[in-house]
Amino acid sequence: MNRGSFLFVESNTTGTGELLLKRARVLGFEPYLVTRNPSRYPFLKASVGRVIEAETRNPDELIEVAANLPRLAGIYSSSDYFVEAASRAAKAIGFPAASPEAIATSRNKWKQATELHRQSISVPETRLATSFRDMETILAQAILPVVVKPVSGSGSSGVRLCDSAAAAIKAFESAKDVLLDQVDLASPDILIQQYIEGKEYSAEIIAYDGTLHCLGILAKHKGPPPCFVEVGHDFPAPLPDPSLKELGSFAAGAVSALGLEFGPAHVEFVMAESGPVIIEVNPRLAGGMIPVMLSHALGTSILDMVIRLYAGEGFTPPRPIAGAGAIRFRLAQVSGKLKRLGFSRTPEPTVPDVGLLISEGKELQINGDFRDRVAYAIGVADKLDAAVTAAERMIDSVVIDIDPTASASDSKIDPGPGEGMWTLHPDAMKLLAPPIEISRDGRLLQFQAAIDEAHLVMLVDKALVSRAVASDLLTNVLDLQREGFQSLDGRDAPRGLYLAYEAELVARAGPEKAGWLHLARSRNDLNATISLLALRDAACSISQEIGIAQDVLLQRAEESSRLVAPLYSQYQIALPGSPGHYLLGVFFALDRERQRLHRLLEDIRNCPMGAGAGGGTSIPIDPLQTATLLGFELPSFNSLDAVASRDHHLEGLSVFAGVSILLSRVAQDLQVWTTREFAIIDIPRNLAGGSSMLPQKKNPFLLEHIKGSASTVIGAYMSAATATCKSPFSNSIEASNYGCSPLGLAEDALKRAITLTSLIVKLMAFNATSMRENLEDGLAMTTVAAERMASRGVPFRKAHTQIGEIAARASRDSCVAKRRSELATHLADVMPASPEECRDALQFGGGPGTRSTDAQLSAAKTLFRDTQLKCADIRERWARAEMHRKQRVKELVERH
């Protein structure tokens, strides 16, 4: 069957681009791909369609190409960058297409956000930047973190989450050129958006004949920040049906507001505390193999649907959901040559589609976007959990072997100052000075570079170093930062990280200029300053993680405060309470630890730079300026105190230990409550494990990781305290190394514990029936009965004794109803009628009563808001200092 030709304008380089051409041929069309660069599409070697070379950014050339095709049936583009050009060509010839003007508005995310905001559709606060000056103005007013993204990007290219001004400026610079190597397009306009916390979803919409049809709502999974690489999607999103319908209407409203009246639209949004917030509307079919997964789940080809739509054959919505689907991607972790890639298991029937997205032998470059994906697996089943399990099991079987790209560290560089005269014994070097690893040492190198920037700016302002020397040195420091210090990765550092770093600067700038960098400073004050910057960063990061956990606790507390549950004392049922009351208790305890962190951050006021080796310097430096440029308030008053003291680290580790102890206690409760004997909560399967021997077991083992993490954090504190307590009050390796290095271990372990706690609290289910059954015999209500007797004039101790004897007799009966009957017979006039009535009577002293809990919730929300603002204020103060330092560095570099 020959139904004529079908013209595709450019294409996705991966995913559905190739599949669309194949499906067009299956449907009886002769597929043509018009492109300005055929080499971008490796799949063309398989002759999936005829290729026409033309300037695809010029609608007139596209119209000419279309006019010369025999029996042309339709024009379409699956590429985000060419949907507008394809639409203009289609409209000019009279084929079905969306409004080119509406597409242009949607493709420009600045115009899109402005239009949606104008029509009262919720979007993040958005600003437009085209210059460094714009960035400086925006960041001075923004609350970090922010998201930086190109105005017309796709596939998460150039999209970065930035929690500092320096990170935002770096992301701004890279985002401008990120699309050049993909589609040869510059991005002079960059968006700075408020970061919206919440679960991310997408809606797949088809507009036809005046109606917007929602094919479904998908839950999105992302890779680690600061990138936004999508690593999975679940369909349908695990939400109640009414919520899915509401979100479908919300997404359709955004599509309609942009005037997209024809064709597919991919709407991305976040469920914030205030409701759904549109992140962006893409006037195209979803990428990332989503249409393929949907096709399997819905039992009908989405690709065929779109091709027929653009061929003028109309649109018939798919039948109601027939099943569930999930897709998972595997990301490459390092750049290099791909030596091996494949699946180690055979797909089961529940895995209808798997694929490799890059060929063996190719060079991989980590980009932080869709190009990092190397494989995918699609799972389909009747239930979402089964589909997710199938996809994850398959993608977990990927075997990948990458030969890391050789770096500049392979080249031989002469030893730097102070390094060449000391040669550490190889055995000692192996033990004490392992080669530099950017994954481990990168943060410390960033702090070193920041100190260099502040120090050089101060030296120039004090006329101690010439502008020419400082400019050259700063240029090289900036280059190292932009390169991610990759030239140091794998470098031997027998005399420590700093001297290896300095040797690299010597190799780049020359010993004459690099020799000025160490004027009026020592490794002692450098190390002390780096350790404080690391502590500051770690404490702030932990505070943010605690904030996420607090948010989850508040949400679950509010939704469960009306449930009734036993309140335990020494693992024995004491009184009726509620899960919300318990979670609020954890919230308040956690908040005190967070307040301690913030007090610590406020107390880190003095910068050690200028203290030298512990005796100051004879050079007339300005330590206050250096301190200010690094976000401190003051220099150190005493040079010996500056390099000797590590009390801030011990205090920080002490708070970390306090948080971990609290989380461990919570994990202990939750683990007990999952047992059959308690059966109060249930942990979902994707947060539990099975037994290698016992088929019936479901092990909530993540709770054991939380408890185990506490031992790591407490051990880190003890290690640091023990190392410091026997060191002299001056700079020493015990204090500066062994007293500070446990911080990273403690931070990682605590973050793991907080994240696992947040996940479990967020997703655990409360067994309302079981909780109530544990209270049905009435024994837990006897305390309130005794208090009621006391309120009628009976001395409490006498009432306590009388009721205790009645409760003891009732407890001997194994029948719940008989125990309750026994209590009711003797205490009818004082016993609460139900566990709920008893719980609500406990409204004083912060008890679990409804009125008391509501007041606690209100107080907790206010406390949470104030604490979040406090955390933001602290980070904003550092960001302003960083931005000022970067501006001064930029001026020095550009003016020379």
Side-chain angles (χ1 to χ4, degrees), residues 571-858:
Y571 293 114
Q572 306 301 313
I573 294 175
L575 289 161
S578 73
H581 181 251
Y582 177 88
L583 295 174
L584 282 169
V586 177
F587 172 90
F588 288 118
L590 200 54
D591 195 76
R592 287 193 298 277
E593 299 292 358
R594 196 178 184 197
Q595 299 288 356
R596 291 183 184 106
L597 278 180
H598 289 175
R599 286 194 291 273
L600 168 65
L601 290 172
E602 291 289 352
D603 200 36
I604 301 176
R605 304 172 66 228
N606 301 90
C607 176
M609 287 306 298
T617 176
S618 62
I619 303 293
I621 58 174
D622 184 356
L624 176 59
Q625 182 184 14
T626 307
T628 303
L629 290 171
L630 291 170
F632 294 91
E633 295 180 44
L634 297 166
S636 290
F637 296 116
N638 182 282
S639 59
L640 195 57
D641 174 42
V643 301
S645 296
R646 292 298 185 270
D647 51 307
H648 289 315
H649 282 76
L650 293 176
E651 185 178 354
L653 284 168
S654 173
V655 179
F656 285 11
V659 177
S660 68
I661 290 169
L662 171 61
L663 297 182
S664 181
R665 297 177 70 190
V666 173
Q668 175 67 16
D669 283 341
L670 298 182
Q671 189 169 15
V672 170
W673 293 349
T674 63
T675 62
R676 180 184 294 182
E677 290 76 11
F678 280 74
I680 288 179
I681 63 170
D682 184 53
I683 304 294
R685 294 186 67 85
N686 61 0
L687 293 179
S691 166
S692 62
M693 180 180 183
L694 307 173
Q696 84 283 5
K697 281 193 71 182
K698 183 170 81 169
N699 298 325
F701 72 99
L702 297 184
L703 294 167
E704 296 176 0
H705 279 285
I706 296 170
K707 293 192 292 182
S709 295
S711 63
T712 302
V713 181
I714 296 169
Y717 170 73
M718 292 301 297
S719 173
T722 305
T724 306
C725 77
K726 56 185 176 57
S727 66
F729 191 70
S730 60
N731 180 75
S732 66
I733 287 177
E734 297 108 308
S736 64
N737 187 339
Y738 292 92
C740 295
S741 59
L743 177 69
L745 182 68
E747 180 188 2
D748 290 344
L750 184 51
K751 280 184 176 178
R752 182 167 60 248
I754 298 173
T755 300
L756 290 175
T757 302
S758 300
L759 267 175
I760 290 171
V761 171
K762 182 177 183 178
L763 299 175
M764 67 184 183
F766 297 108
N767 189 338
T769 301
S770 179
M771 290 189 298
R772 207 176 194 288
E773 285 176 352
N774 288 331
L775 297 167
E776 286 292 346
D777 64 4
L779 289 170
M781 299 191 285
T782 56
T783 299
V784 169
E787 290 178 341
R788 287 179 175 179
M789 288 177 65
S791 69
R792 297 177 184 181
V794 179
F796 178 76
R797 186 54 61 199
K798 181 178 180 181
H800 181 279
T801 301
Q802 290 177 358
I803 293 179
E805 292 173 352
I806 296 169
R809 288 198 304 270
S811 298
R812 298 189 191 107
D813 202 312
S814 61
C815 176
V816 171
K818 289 182 179 180
R819 292 200 297 270
R820 180 63 180 267
S821 176
E822 175 79 9
L823 293 172
T825 299
H826 295 88
L827 303 170
D829 56 337
V830 291
M831 277 288 287
S834 68
E836 286 81 4
E837 180 189 326
C838 185
R839 178 201 64 200
D840 290 343
L842 301 167
Q843 60 176 304
F844 303 103
T850 299
R851 289 173 58 187
S852 172
T853 299
D854 287 345
Q856 293 171 47
L857 271 169
S858 177

Side-chain angles (χ1 to χ4, degrees), residues 164-206:
S164 69
I169 291 169
K170 182 179 178 181
F172 169 76
E173 292 294 336
S174 62
K176 291 191 293 184
D177 299 324
V178 74
L179 302 180
L180 284 173
D181 64 336
Q182 293 186 55
V183 286
D184 198 22
L185 292 173
S187 304
D189 296 339
I190 306 298
L191 289 190
I192 315 300
Q193 284 190 320
Q194 169 196 7
Y195 176 60
I196 305 296
E197 291 274 7
K199 177 65 179 172
E200 294 197 28
Y201 299 90
S202 69
E204 311 311 325
I205 305 287
I206 298 286

Side-chain angles (χ1 to χ4, degrees), residues 267-532:
V267 185
E268 299 179 359
F269 57 94
V270 170
M271 279 300 297
E273 184 177 351
S274 59
V277 178
I278 293 291
I279 298 301
E280 60 187 46
V281 177
N282 299 285
R284 55 167 171 80
L285 194 61
M289 302 301 291
I290 290 176
V292 177
M293 183 265 282
L294 279 178
S295 298
H296 286 293
L298 294 172
T300 184
S301 173
I302 304 300
L303 301 182
D304 291 3
M305 197 180 293
V306 169
I307 293 169
R308 290 192 176 105
L309 180 65
Y310 280 82
E313 297 180 8
F315 171 76
T316 302
R319 66 182 185 274
I321 295 174
I327 183 168
R328 293 294 184 267
F329 293 95
R330 175 68 178 270
L331 302 183
Q333 300 299 322
V334 296
S335 300
K337 187 174 183 179
L338 183 61
K339 297 171 63 178
R340 184 185 177 197
L341 180 65
F343 292 93
S344 63
R345 64 184 299 137
T346 302
E348 300 172 359
T350 50
V351 182
D353 199 350
V354 301
L356 304 177
L357 300 174
I358 187 169
S359 303
E360 292 179 354
K362 297 288 187 180
E363 289 289 336
L364 272 169
Q365 178 65 44
I366 300 301
N367 298 292
D369 57 31
F370 73 100
R371 291 170 291 175
D372 296 349
R373 299 191 292 222
V374 298
Y376 71 89
I378 292 175
V380 177
D382 293 335
K383 301 294 183 182
L384 180 58
D385 284 350
V388 168
T389 299
E392 290 181 346
R393 185 185 299 121
M394 194 67 199
I395 206 67
D396 287 344
S397 76
V398 169
V399 177
I400 184 170
D401 184 10
I402 299 173
D403 182 15
T405 305
S407 68
S409 62
D410 295 333
S411 59
K412 300 298 181 184
I413 298 177
D414 292 335
E419 190 171 4
M421 64 183 68
W422 299 97
T423 304
L424 198 63
H425 189 282
D427 290 344
M429 185 186 298
K430 190 184 302 181
L431 290 171
L432 303 177
I436 294 171
E437 290 182 19
I438 298 304
S439 59
R440 180 192 64 218
D441 303 318
R443 182 162 68 166
L444 299 181
L445 288 167
Q446 287 285 4
F447 294 145
Q448 175 64 62
I451 293 170
D452 283 354
E453 291 173 347
H455 186 62
L456 284 166
V457 168
M458 181 274 296
L459 290 177
V460 168
D461 286 355
K462 295 294 291 180
L464 297 170
V465 169
S466 72
R467 286 180 175 271
V469 168
S471 174
D472 198 11
L473 284 171
L474 287 169
T475 298
N476 284 289
V477 170
L478 292 174
D479 286 344
L480 278 170
Q481 290 175 300
R482 277 191 288 265
E483 297 162 10
F485 303 98
Q486 286 301 314
S487 58
L488 291 169
D489 200 20
R491 178 86 58 86
D492 288 336
R495 293 286 292 160
L497 194 64
Y498 169 69
L499 289 178
Y501 165 91
E502 188 182 48
E504 177 66 11
L505 282 178
V506 169
R508 294 182 179 220
E512 193 69 28
K513 292 178 179 177
W516 285 102
L517 185 61
H518 210 56
L519 178 66
R521 73 181 192 186
S522 161
R523 277 192 295 171
N524 293 3
D525 58 351
L526 268 174
N527 287 339
T529 306
I530 288 174
S531 68
L532 282 182

Side-chain angles (χ1 to χ4, degrees), residues 228-248:
F228 287 81
V229 185
E230 295 174 4
V231 297
H233 304 271
D234 297 338
F235 170 78
L239 296 169
D241 287 342
S243 297
L244 292 174
K245 290 180 181 178
E246 290 176 10
L247 293 175

Side-chain angles (χ1 to χ4, degrees), residues 112-282:
Q112 179 189 124
T114 302
E115 180 61 23
L116 291 175
H117 179 70
R118 188 183 70 81
Q119 299 202 37
S120 300
I121 293 176
S122 182
V123 295
E125 182 179 339
T126 305
R127 302 289 298 274
L128 182 68
T130 59
S131 66
F132 182 87
R133 183 65 64 186
D134 290 342
M135 287 293 295
E136 186 179 52
T137 302
I138 292 168
L139 292 172
Q141 302 170 2
I143 296 177
L144 296 167
V146 294
V147 177
V148 176
K149 65 166 80 171
V151 161
S152 300
S154 179
S156 303
S157 294
V159 184
R160 295 292 184 268
L161 177 63
C162 304
D163 57 6
S164 69
I169 291 169
K170 182 179 178 181
F172 169 76
E173 292 294 336
S174 62
K176 291 191 293 184
D177 299 324
V178 74
L179 302 180
L180 284 173
D181 64 336
Q182 293 186 55
V183 286
D184 198 22
L185 292 173
S187 304
D189 296 339
I190 306 298
L191 289 190
I192 315 300
Q193 284 190 320
Q194 169 196 7
Y195 176 60
I196 305 296
E197 291 274 7
K199 177 65 179 172
E200 294 197 28
Y201 299 90
S202 69
E204 311 311 325
I205 305 287
I206 298 286
Y208 176 70
D209 197 22
T211 303
L212 295 171
H213 304 270
C214 182
L215 302 182
I217 305 294
L218 286 73
K220 182 188 300 185
H221 301 272
K222 297 181 304 180
C227 305
F228 287 81
V229 185
E230 295 174 4
V231 297
H233 304 271
D234 297 338
F235 170 78
L239 296 169
D241 287 342
S243 297
L244 292 174
K245 290 180 181 178
E246 290 176 10
L247 293 175
S249 298
F250 169 73
V255 174
S256 177
L258 294 171
L260 297 167
E261 80 292 351
F262 182 87
H266 174 64
V267 185
E268 299 179 359
F269 57 94
V270 170
M271 279 300 297
E273 184 177 351
S274 59
V277 178
I278 293 291
I279 298 301
E280 60 187 46
V281 177
N282 299 285

